[in-house]
Structures are given as structure tokens and as C-alpha cells.
């Protein structure tokens, strides 16, 4: 199968075609006039049509995030919804969500991100449904099995995003050409949406090849990994642990020897750890508007919080109050190495990877968009770049699933199902040893191990878009985020989070179009 990159230019044609064919390729994702029937007569004539159509399904991974310079899966922006980072330009919408809260809203500057993600996922689902309804016309045998497996994975992927964000949403698996667009549709419960996710992932697992991930196409372990995520979200701990263990014992993936190398080219290309990502490739395919180094490092659109910095242990595995190696007055020395692999600190220069020269050659708070009280992001920076600025392109792949997550999800699920047995210690310690952090102390209780796992997930996946979703599935988002002080220099400025935010509001235009059948989520 050709890779997504090789088919990218051909997809321009497919994108135009889908904009006519699919009801969802319009602002109104669920209620449009019937698609043009002529397109089905001129397509689905050869195997190459299946290649184009499948590429079209993957193309929604590049969907806009509803604002400048941030696509939906530019994962670093998702940490702006959490206690890990502050987005000074509201990339992705996290800043407005924490400052003024979530609302049903309209398609305006402040709520566009909420609507964009909803529409993006339904556009992708309609594309997949169309693909599944027609691919049998041009493919047979193993190739058909694999292509359908990829499509089932992508549908599950998009419904999973809808489930964890909005919760109660409409389920549709029909060919968009067969839908009656004059009828309104009611939503299903989050539990039912997750059942659909699991069912599609089971079909994907059955059809996908059991190989390492490389080309951008989902493989069997990709689907298994997302099913582990779904099972953890549903608190099906024993099932999640068993499935994660299948991936671990399968031997197709391992931790990269370089933690930072998971986040920039060319190291990403050979990382044995990456299990699914949004693939980019210069010169044809760059990040939205600018390479990520421009909004992230030049403009400092995301800045790490002091609370995140405080989370990192000292190099001996102790907290900074009890460590024998932590030196008071030198808060950035002798810490978990991932801290300096993730953030920049005052006084950093080229020796620490700081990419700027001239008057900006020394990292200085308050200078060049650096807000005092926060810390610029180092993760995702290509270390070969110098003075990245407006117009620069970038092709870091946005990593959506790593083997480290499989290890830590196994540890979490096994601890919840059976307590902190030896396998729980082993998987966490593998992640820690990769960056030369000491093993966890023996004799932890289940509750103590739970805290250690949650700590490990925060520091391992900082600025990778995972923290917000972890807080919500653990049921502690309100506790952690409501009243959170993002910058200790401004203690009166606190973030806002309410329990009902665990279910995002369905965009109001969708409610209006499908009333009275489609009801808004509670509290909006």
C-alpha cells in the first residue's frame, strides 16, 4: 500500500470530490440536502480509487482546530485545557475554556474550537461510512480486509474523540447517500458511543496487519492501544490490562533510547515507540500556517506552568523537600531529566538547546513573548533549527500514541484490577529507567501506587495533549482545575472548571437544526 505521504497530492482531487459527495463536508455536519449522486457513478472503478478514498479518510487528521496555527491534533495545544500549560494566544481554545468556561455558543471567535472539533469528527465519520459502503466494489481478499480494518479504526478513533469530549452524541454508521436528510436525529449515551468504539476497534484488530507502525497507516497494535484507552475510560480495568499486556508481549514495539527523539525528525522516522501519529513531510505537507517551532518557541503560544515544573522529582527520585541532591536556590538543576527535555529555563543558551541568537541568545523571562512566571516549551523543537520565525515550515509528526503510554496504561489498569504487583513496578520502572530515573520504592499500597502512576503520566506525557483527558477520566478535573492558579505571580487569576464540563456542549447550531430530537448536554 502506498503511504499517506505518497498519496497526498492525489488527495487534492479526492478532497474536492468528497466536498460534493459527503453531507458532512459542510458546516452543517448532520442535516444537509442529499449528496450529489453523480459522483458515485464516476468513482469506485478501480483499486486506485480505494487508495484515494482511504487517503481521504486519513486526511481528516489534518483538520483545523478552529483557529490560527493549530490543527485539532496538534496535541501540545490540548495541554492548555489543563494545569500543564498556558496558551497566551488561545491556540486550540484551552485558555478561553479555563477563563470563561464552556458554553454552547455559536460559530464565533471564542467558541469556534468547540464547534470545529465536533464537525471535524463527523466529517471524518461520514467519509469512513462512505468508504465502507463502497470499497467492496473494487477490492477483494486480504487487501479488502486490511483497508476495511483501517477504516473501522478511523471511525472508532473519531467516535472516541466525540465520546470523551461531548459524551452523548449521534451515532451513524450508514452510507451518507442513504440518509434521509429531512429527518432529525437524536443522540446516544456516552456508554453507547463507547460500545460503538469498541465494536469498530474489534473489527479493526481483526483486519489490520500485526506489524510495526511506520507508514502512517494504523496497524493491529494501534487499534489495540486505542481500545486500551477506551477500556480505561470505561474503568474496565482487567480487560484493559489484559489487552495492554498483549501489546507488550507481542514484541513489535519498545521504548526509544531517546526520549526527545520521539518529537522531531529524523529521529521520529526510526522510533520503535511511536504507534500512531499524524504524518507530515516537507516540502509538500507542513503544519497548519507555520511550522510548530514558530507558534511554540518563537511566539511562545504555549508556556509551561510552575505547577508542572513542581511536579518533576529531583534526580534521586525524591521530592525537592526531601532530596539529597536537590540544591535550594538552583531549582532547575538535578531534576528528573524529562523536565529539561520538555521546557526551557532562565539562562539557557545554545548549550541547553535554546534556538535563538543575537539579542535573544540567552533565555530571559519577560523578553520575546516569554511571560514571567511561565516556561517556554522545548519538547517538539527540532534541535537543528536556529531562530525559527514567521513563515518557517515544520514536519514533526504529531504523536498520538506511544509505547510508553501502553506501559503506563497497563500499570494503571493492573494496579486498579489487582493492586501493585511486580508487573506494575516493572512497566513503570522501564519508563523511568529510559531517562535514568531510579526505580520506584518497594512496598507501595494500591493508593500510593495510583499516585505514582498519575505522577508518571504527567511528567512523561507533558505537552502531548494527554493530561486534560486523564484528569477528566480520573474524575478529578474539577478538583484540580477549578480555582487553579496558572501563574503564581498573579494569584487572584484562577481558572474555571465545573463538573458538567466533563461533557462538552454540543454546538448550538446542531441543536437548533435537529430540535426537538437532539437535546443539549446538561448544564448549558
Amino acid at each position: 500500500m502506498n503511504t499517506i505521504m505518497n498519496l497526498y497530492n492525489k488527495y487534492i482531487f479526492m478532497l474536492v470530490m468528497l466536498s460534493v459527495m459527503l453531507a458532512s463536508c459542510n458546516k452543517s455536519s448532520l442535516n444537509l440536502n442529499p449528496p450529489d449522486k453523480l459522483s458515485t457513478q464516476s468513482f469506485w472503478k478501480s483499486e486506485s480509487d480505494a487508495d484515494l478514498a482511504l487517503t481521504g479518510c486519513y486526511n481528516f487528521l489534518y483538520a483545523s482546530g478552529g483557529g490560527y496555527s493549530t490543527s485539532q491534533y496538534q496535541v501540545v495545544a490540548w495541554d492548555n485545557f489543563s494545569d500543564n500549560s498556558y496558551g497566551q494566544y488561545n491556540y486550540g481554545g484551552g485558555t478561553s475554556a479555563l477563563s470563561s468556561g464552556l458554553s454552547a455558543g455559536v460559530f464565533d471567535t471564542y467558541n469556534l474550537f468547540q464547534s470545529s472539533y465536533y464537525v471535524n469528527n463527523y466529517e471524518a465519520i461520514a467519509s469512513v461510512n462512505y468508504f465502507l459502503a463502497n470499497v467492496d466494489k473494487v477490492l477483494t481478499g486480504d487487501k479488502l480486509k486490511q483497508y476495511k480494518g483501517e477504516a473501522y479504526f478511523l471511525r472508532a478513533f473519531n467516535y472516541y474523540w466525540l465520546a470523551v469530549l461531548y459524551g452523548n452524541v449521534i451515532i451513524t454508521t450508514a452510507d451518507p447517500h442513504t440518509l434521509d436528510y429531512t429527518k432529525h436525529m437524536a443522540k446516544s449515551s456516552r456508554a453507547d458511543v463507547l460500545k460503538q468504539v469498541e465494536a469498530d476497534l474489534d473489527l479493526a484488530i481483526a483486519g489490520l496487519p500485526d506489524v510495526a507502525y511506520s507508514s502512517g497507516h494504523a496497524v493491529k497494535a494501534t487499534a489495540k492501544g486505542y481500545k486500551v484507552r477506551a477500556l480505561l475510560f470505561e474503568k474496565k480495568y482487567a480487560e484493559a490490562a489484559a489487552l495492554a499486556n498483549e501489546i507488550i508481549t507481542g514484541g513489535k514495539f519498545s521504548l526509544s533510547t531517546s526520549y526527545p527523539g520521539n518529537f522531531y525528525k529524523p529521529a521520529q522516522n526510526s522510533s520503535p515507540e511511536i504507534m500512531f501519529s499524524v504524518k507530515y513531510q516537507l516540502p509538500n505537507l507542513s503544519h497548519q500556517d507555520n511550522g510548530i517551532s514558530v507558534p511554540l518557541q518563537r511566539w511562545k503560544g504555549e508556556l509551561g506552568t510552575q505547577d508542572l515544573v513542581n511536579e518533576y522529582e529531583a534526580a534521586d527520585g525524591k521530592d525537592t523537600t526531601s532530596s539529597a541532591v536537590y540544591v535550594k536556590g538552583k531549582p532547575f538543576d538535578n531534576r528528573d531529566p524529562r523536565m529539561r527535555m520538555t521546557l526551557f529555563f532562565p539562562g539557557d543558551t545554545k548549550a541547553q538547546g535554546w534556538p535563538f541568537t543575537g539579542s535573544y541568545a540567552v533565555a530571559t523571562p519577560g523578553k520575546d513573548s516569554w511571560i514571567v512566571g511561565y516556561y517556554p516549551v522545548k519538547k517538539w523543537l527540532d534541535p537543528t533549527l536556529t531562530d525559527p520565525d514567521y513563515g518557517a515550515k515544520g514536519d514533526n509528526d504529531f504523536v498520538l500514541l506511544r509505547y510508553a503510554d501502553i506501559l503506563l496504561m497497563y500499570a494503571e489498569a493492573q494496579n486498579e484490577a489487582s493492586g501493585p504487583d511486580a508487573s506494575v513496578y516493572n512497566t513503570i520502572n522501564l519508563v523511568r529507567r529510559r531517562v535514568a530515573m531510579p526505580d520506584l520504592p518497594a512496598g507501595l499500597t494500591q493508593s500510593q501506587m495510583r499516585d505514582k502512576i498519575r505522577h508518571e503520566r504527567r511528567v512523561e506525557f507533558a505537552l502531548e495533549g494527554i493530561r486534560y483527558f486523564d484528569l477528566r477520566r480520573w474524575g478529578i478535573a474539577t478538583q484540580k482545575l477549578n480555582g487553579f492558579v496558572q501563574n503564581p505571580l498573579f494569584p487572584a487569576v484562577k481558572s474555571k472548571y465545573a463538573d458538567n464540563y466533563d461533557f462538552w456542549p454540543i454546538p448550538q447550531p446542531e441543536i437548533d437544526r435537529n430540535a426537538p430530537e437532539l437535546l443539549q448536554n446538561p448544564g448549558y
Side-chain angles (χ1 to χ4, degrees), residues 76 292-302 377 379-380:
V76 62
I292 193 173
S293 62
V294 179
L296 191 57
Q297 280 88 26
R298 171 89 273 176
W299 299 337
K300 299 169 184 64
E302 281 80 29
V377 178
K379 187 180 277 190
W380 303 102

Side-chain angles (χ1 to χ4, degrees), residues 97 100-102 468 472 496-504 524:
S100 56
L102 297 174
Y468 177 64
R472 293 164 88 241
K496 179 180 180 180
Y497 194 94
D499 289 344
N500 66 298
Y501 293 178
D502 287 352
F503 293 79
W504 278 22
Y524 300 102

Side-chain angles (χ1 to χ4, degrees), residues 5 8 62 71 74 278-292 391-396 398:
M5 298 299 99
Y8 174 70
Y62 306 101
S71 60
Q74 188 165 315
V278 184
K279 289 279 191 176
Y280 291 86
Q281 181 175 301
L282 291 176
N284 293 327
L285 192 54
S286 178
H287 304 143
Q288 181 178 316
D289 299 315
N290 292 278
I292 193 173
K393 301 299 182 182
D395 66 352
N396 314 55
F398 294 149

Side-chain angles (χ1 to χ4, degrees), residues 71 323 467 493:
S71 60
S323 169
R467 175 69 172 172
V493 180

Side-chain angles (χ1 to χ4, degrees), residues 43 112 140 183 269 296 322-323 337 437 472 498:
F43 204 63
L112 184 58
T140 59
K183 291 185 177 180
N269 295 333
L296 191 57
S322 60
S323 169
M437 284 296 288
R472 293 164 88 241

